[in-house]
Amino acid sequence: MHDPDADGAAAPHPAGDGPLAGLRVLDLATLFAGPLAATMLGDFGAEVIKVEHPLKPDPSRGHGPDKDGVGLWWKLLGRNKRTITLDLSTSGGRATLLRLAATADVIVENFRPGTLEKWRLGWEELSAVNPRLVLARVTAFGQYGPYCRRPGFGTLAEAMSGFAAITGEPEGPPTLPPFGLADSIAALATSYAVMTALTARTASGRGQVVDMAIIEPILTVLGPQPIWFDQLGYVQPRTGNRSRNNAPRNTYRSADGAWLAVSTSAQSVAERVMRLVGRPELTSEPWFATGSGRAEHADVLDEAVGGWIARHTREEVLAAFEHAEAAVAPVHDVRDVMADPQYRALDTITEVPDPELGPIRMQNVLFRLSATPGRIRWAGRPHGADTDAVLGELGLTPERIAALRREGAL
């Protein structure tokens, strides 16, 4: 069992600041949409209590690289959260969770549908102890329907939504993203849904259930594909880096081997780009007047833009495009992101002190508020580090906490 003092870290103070200060969120979820939604709430002042199984910590602690045995992904995902252990399948764990739920505003969970009910911790029991509670249920397929009890992850949502089908080169296979895209989109949607439910509670005085299916928010991000198919029978194909809606739109390699991305979603920008690369006559072609017309002649436009960029260095391209007020960006890897002056100006990657690893850098809070900004108060804490403190605040005596440990509930 983890000794909360073993890492030498002072226990974080539960009271946060920011616009969500005063909200208490219980994070029962794992991998990745649910926990990330709770992180976003914690970034703006909510008190987030991460509840993990005593013997099976959140798998994100072991996902990806670690340093000296400390999982780095967890430092990001677990920030601004106090960590406790609780086995919800035990009688003591159930009773303790209900006691915590009575003090909470939000619970985020991602067990398969029916799991909380099996433990007698479903909406009926939770709302009975706290009618104002918002229960956010984040699953791959939602709480009902033929797939609802299937195991699922964001990868399946990326496949089922149509994202993979339109991603990749035209003659290549469907392509999945190398990161948690669907989970991250669902996390954004879940945090929005929670705030919507909390706003409704202000008027009604009662909480409600948020049913978030990871397969759904990514469909919204994919845009008008369903209405295109419904009205026209149109199925969007894979086009690589090109777009069927405008051109030139691609990545191009400079004389010194750097890759740059060009976008011309606006007609005026497309015209500026063609003047810049020495092909102003193309702007007089009838097909140039619309994005779809330009997309049908992408080969001609890519040859013009790509040929010009290939004769200039990365810095020459960036300077010329900026002078012409045309849209271009270098294709960054993470090394470039960490050094980019715009990201530095925004403090997008910020430094956080950590008692285990020392200063660490990670993404900052998601957006800036002028009057009530969010902030990172601490990085992810060790497994169960705050169990005794949180349960003590709940009114449990040291003797009761010890008894729960003997039972295996903690």
Side-chain angles (χ1 to χ4, degrees):
M1 186 59 60
H2 175 74
D3 176 358
D5 296 321
D7 54 83
H13 194 278
D17 51 18
L20 302 186
L23 287 178
R24 171 172 273 196
V25 178
L26 306 184
D27 174 7
L28 313 186
T30 59
L31 290 181
F32 282 97
L36 182 55
T39 301
M40 293 172 181
L41 299 174
D43 283 350
F44 285 88
E47 178 198 358
V48 181
I49 298 172
K50 175 71 177 180
V51 180
E52 298 175 83
H53 192 280
L55 303 179
K56 293 176 284 187
D58 189 313
S60 67
R61 291 182 180 272
H63 248 61
D66 66 82
K67 181 179 180 182
D68 301 329
V70 178
L72 299 177
W73 201 331
W74 167 252
K75 286 295 178 185
L76 173 68
L77 193 63
R79 73 189 192 193
N80 292 336
K81 300 179 183 181
R82 297 201 289 170
T83 61
I84 72 169
T85 58
L86 207 57
D87 184 345
L88 304 182
S89 68
T90 65
S91 61
R94 174 184 181 275
T96 305
L97 193 279
L98 287 173
R99 196 161 174 173
L100 272 170
T103 72
D105 297 281
V106 180
I107 291 179
V108 182
E109 65 96 2
N110 71 336
F111 299 106
R112 285 197 218 178
T115 301
L116 283 184
E117 286 74 10
K118 178 181 68 176
W119 295 332
R120 292 184 298 123
L121 288 169
W123 176 239
E124 183 177 343
E125 292 85 358
L126 292 170
S127 61
V129 300
N130 185 354
R132 292 176 56 80
L133 184 69
V134 171
L135 175 63
R137 314 196 76 167
V138 186
T139 57
F141 305 112
Q143 294 296 309
Y144 55 89
Y147 303 165
C148 71
R149 294 185 183 272
R150 292 182 181 179
F153 300 97
T155 296
L156 305 190
E158 289 145 11
M160 281 183 61
S161 64
F163 171 85
I166 63 168
T167 304
E169 293 301 320
E171 303 305 320
T175 303
L176 295 167
F179 64 99
L181 176 64
D183 276 294
S184 300
I185 296 169
L188 288 162
T190 300
S191 60
Y192 165 52
V194 165
M195 296 310 301
T196 302
L198 290 172
T199 301
R201 185 183 74 173
T202 301
S204 69
R206 298 190 64 85
Q208 59 184 299
V209 176
V210 172
D211 179 5
M212 179 60 64
I214 297 173
I215 60 172
E216 291 184 305
I218 190 171
L219 268 172
T220 296
V221 173
L222 285 170
Q225 289 189 55
I227 196 170
W228 281 344
F229 179 76
D230 175 64
Q231 295 296 302
L232 303 172
Y234 175 74
V235 178
Q236 184 174 336
R238 286 190 290 282
T239 56
N241 290 327
R242 287 181 173 177
S243 167
R244 295 295 292 266
N245 304 314
N246 67 82
R249 193 262 196 185
N250 214 325
T251 57
Y252 308 93
R253 201 166 193 176
S254 66
D256 53 350
W259 288 95
L260 300 106
V262 172
S263 175
T264 57
S265 295
Q267 179 71 21
S268 59
V269 173
E271 293 172 2
R272 290 174 203 154
V273 169
M274 301 323 296
R275 289 194 292 268
L276 169 63
V277 302
R279 298 295 304 275
E281 75 281 2
L282 292 175
T283 64
S284 300
E285 296 286 347
W287 50 261
F288 197 89
T290 65
S292 58
R294 297 196 308 273
E296 291 174 1
H297 294 79
D299 286 343
V300 173
L301 298 174
D302 275 348
E303 181 181 1
V305 176
W308 184 89
I309 289 177
R311 297 191 297 272
H312 296 80
T313 67
R314 173 185 183 273
E315 293 308 315
E316 288 170 345
V317 172
L318 292 173
F321 268 72
E322 182 175 1
H323 181 73
E325 297 184 358
V328 69
V331 176
H332 280 348
D333 65 18
V334 69
R335 294 167 295 188
D336 304 310
V337 169
M338 301 293 268
D340 187 281
Q342 182 62 30
Y343 282 132
R344 285 186 172 180
L346 297 175
D347 196 29
T348 305
I349 306 297
T350 196
E351 187 171 279
V352 180
D354 183 71
E356 291 185 288
L357 298 177
I360 55 179
R361 289 188 289 169
M362 64 175 66
Q363 297 95 317
N364 209 336
V365 300
L366 197 58
F367 48 85
R368 286 163 292 281
L369 295 178
S370 61
T372 56
R375 68 185 179 96
I376 303 170
R377 290 167 281 156
W378 60 83
R381 301 264 294 158
H383 181 226
D386 306 297
T387 303
D388 287 19
V390 170
L391 298 189
E393 293 162 12
L394 201 60
L396 275 66
T397 65
E399 292 76 20
R400 178 56 181 155
I401 294 171
L404 288 170
R405 282 210 168 89
R406 288 194 298 271
E407 179 190 332
L410 303 183

